[in-house]
Amino acid sequence: MATLTHKDLTTIFLALGILLASARLLGELAIRFRQPAIIGEILAGILLGPTVLGTLAPGISQAVFPMSGSPAIVLKGVAAVSVVLFLLAAGMDVDLSRIFRQGRAAMAVSVSGIVAPFIIGGLAAWAAPELLGRTEHTPPLIFVLFFATAMSISALPVIAKTLMDLNLYRSDLGMVVIAAAIFDDLAGWIIFAIVLGMMTQGGPTFWIGGTIGLTLLFVAFMLTIGRWCIHASLPWIQAKTSWPGGVLAFALTLALLSAAFTDWIGIHAVFGSFMAGVALGDSPHLRERTRATINQFVSSIFAPLFFASIGLGVNFIEHFDLLLVLLVMAIAMLTKVVGCGLGARAAGMPWRESWAIGFGMNSRGAMEIILGTLALEFHLIGNRMFVALVVMALS
């Protein structure tokens, strides 16, 4: 029976310790310069990965962060758990009631903000797949759907933070932007889940029709019966168990079981944890201090490990394609700004506020990076497109 050797364990502990310390340090440094922590966390991985350390001292890089063998498999496993928990926290930020409260304006912005980037991004990927980085092994239709989805998603946490910094979060304009971004996130992840199902053909368990059907049933269940069960369980859990251990264990168990289910039906595990977060975060019984504890637990440990690990697998200098980066950024920005701006205008908002909403919805960030990471993992895209998506998301 294969086991981890003493040397393997030493390498794993050393790699995780260095990765977490570096990511936290550079993340805090980024915050000091009024930048998102994710920039510093990804930079830590770039410095420790093949881009910098692998170029300057390849022997040390390979010894501490091996690209193959048991330690590499364990590090990838830790990154997988980290991104699942990060999506749990991201899902908890989704407030479903805001979509309905904002009514016509939010729905118009969200629909146009998905449709315009999706159609134009899809047409661009269909017309110039090689220019946009499609690999020879990726079916054209799946690449088109992936690129269209990547252009459509906004970054809810980044949008919320930006609006808070500008004191616009609780304004009418801010609420329209937040509600539209919530719908964008939900729709974008559902579409991407279906794309993954098409690519894997449901794995060994289901055919594609079964995978898509079960995905939609899972979404419906989590937004109705599942949400009600969580809502009914939380008062008992918070009253009968020690805080914060009881509810923290409940949230993580829910995320991991949901992740296991969606992975089993042929959709990536992150989708399950995201929907679990949506259902959990929507309950008024979830205390604010509990929500804050979960967010701090994830953002302090697991999110830095995941985002730092991104830089360990790709040489960002070697695979940097300026033309591709500029093209991806142009398509992403123009389609999102124009689409959302016209949607807001169609809902009766003044031109000035409509364009403000369009630029607000153009915020990118962690969601696009996770989308790119999963696409790279499943060989939907190559390293050049992955680097372009990361640069676009951080711009």
Side-chain angles (χ1 to χ4, degrees):
M1 182 176 67
T3 61
L4 292 173
T5 66
H6 177 74
K7 182 181 178 181
D8 290 339
L9 290 173
T10 302
T11 301
I12 292 167
F13 294 144
L14 181 62
L16 289 175
I18 293 175
L19 202 61
L20 180 58
S22 302
R24 289 290 298 151
L25 178 63
L26 292 183
E28 292 292 335
L29 189 61
I31 293 173
R32 293 290 180 91
F33 286 96
R34 297 184 177 276
Q35 299 297 316
I38 184 177
I39 292 179
E41 292 163 358
I42 292 177
L43 180 59
I46 293 174
L47 292 175
L48 295 171
T51 307
V52 178
L53 184 61
T55 300
L56 299 177
I60 296 176
S61 178
Q62 180 60 28
V64 180
F65 302 105
M67 300 297 291
S68 60
S70 298
I73 294 174
V74 172
L75 292 177
K76 288 181 180 178
V78 171
V81 173
S82 298
V83 72
V84 162
L85 296 183
F86 179 80
L87 263 294
L88 166 70
M92 288 173 59
D93 286 334
V94 172
D95 186 348
L96 295 174
S97 62
R98 282 182 176 166
I99 296 178
F100 304 106
R101 284 203 302 266
Q102 293 306 315
R104 179 168 170 252
M107 190 56 63
V109 171
S110 61
V111 171
S112 61
I114 292 176
V115 171
F118 194 90
I119 292 177
I120 297 175
L123 289 174
W126 186 267
E130 286 75 21
L131 183 61
L132 289 174
R134 180 177 77 87
T135 64
E136 59 181 9
H137 305 294
T138 305
L141 177 59
I142 292 179
F143 177 75
V144 167
L145 292 175
F146 160 75
F147 188 75
T149 305
M151 297 298 99
S152 304
I153 292 181
S154 296
L156 180 60
V158 176
I159 290 174
K161 181 64 166 60
T162 302
L163 291 173
M164 288 177 184
D165 291 343
L166 296 174
N167 293 320
L168 293 173
Y169 186 78
R170 299 193 180 279
S171 66
D172 290 341
L173 184 146
M175 288 297 97
V176 169
V177 172
I178 288 295
I182 289 170
F183 185 85
D184 275 11
D185 269 7
L186 284 172
W189 278 103
I190 290 173
I191 294 170
F192 187 61
I194 293 173
V195 172
L196 285 181
M198 293 174 64
M199 187 203 65
T200 60
Q201 292 292 294
T205 310
F206 298 101
W207 61 287
I208 178 61
T211 296
I212 294 174
L214 286 172
T215 300
L216 297 177
L217 284 175
F218 174 73
V219 172
F221 173 81
M222 291 303 294
L223 295 181
T224 54
I225 299 174
R227 186 173 56 158
W228 180 86
C229 290
I230 292 170
H231 178 73
S233 302
L234 275 176
W236 185 89
I237 293 171
Q238 295 181 138
K240 300 296 184 180
T241 62
S242 58
W243 186 89
V247 70
L248 187 62
F250 173 74
L252 267 60
T253 299
L254 181 66
L256 294 174
L257 291 178
S258 299
F261 177 77
T262 53
D263 195 67
W264 176 64
I265 65 175
I267 303 300
H268 198 279
V270 297
F271 183 70
S273 62
F274 179 74
M275 292 307 304
V278 172
L280 178 64
D282 193 59
S283 174
H285 290 316
L286 185 67
R287 299 169 185 166
E288 282 304 314
R289 64 172 185 166
T290 301
R291 188 188 303 268
T293 299
I294 294 174
N295 277 323
Q296 290 172 5
F297 174 67
V298 172
S299 62
S300 299
I301 301 173
F302 293 100
L305 283 174
F306 168 70
F307 289 115
S309 69
I310 289 172
L312 296 181
V314 178
N315 189 318
F316 277 71
I317 294 178
E318 179 183 339
H319 297 289
F320 183 84
D321 185 328
L322 180 59
L323 177 61
L324 180 58
V325 169
L326 293 177
L327 189 58
V328 168
M329 291 178 64
I331 295 173
M333 183 181 74
L334 291 176
T335 56
K336 182 64 79 170
V337 172
V338 173
C340 292
L342 293 179
R345 180 59 181 167
M349 303 188 73
W351 275 114
R352 183 177 179 181
E353 290 188 5
S354 297
W355 291 126
I357 288 174
F359 279 99
M361 289 291 292
N362 187 50
S363 296
R364 311 285 175 160
M367 294 304 187
E368 282 76 13
I369 294 173
I370 293 172
L371 205 68
T373 302
L374 297 180
L376 184 66
E377 175 187 334
F378 283 91
H379 306 292
L380 279 178
I381 58 174
N383 289 325
R384 289 192 309 120
M385 172 55 80
F386 175 70
V387 171
L389 287 175
V390 172
V391 174
M392 179 270 289
L394 296 178
S395 300

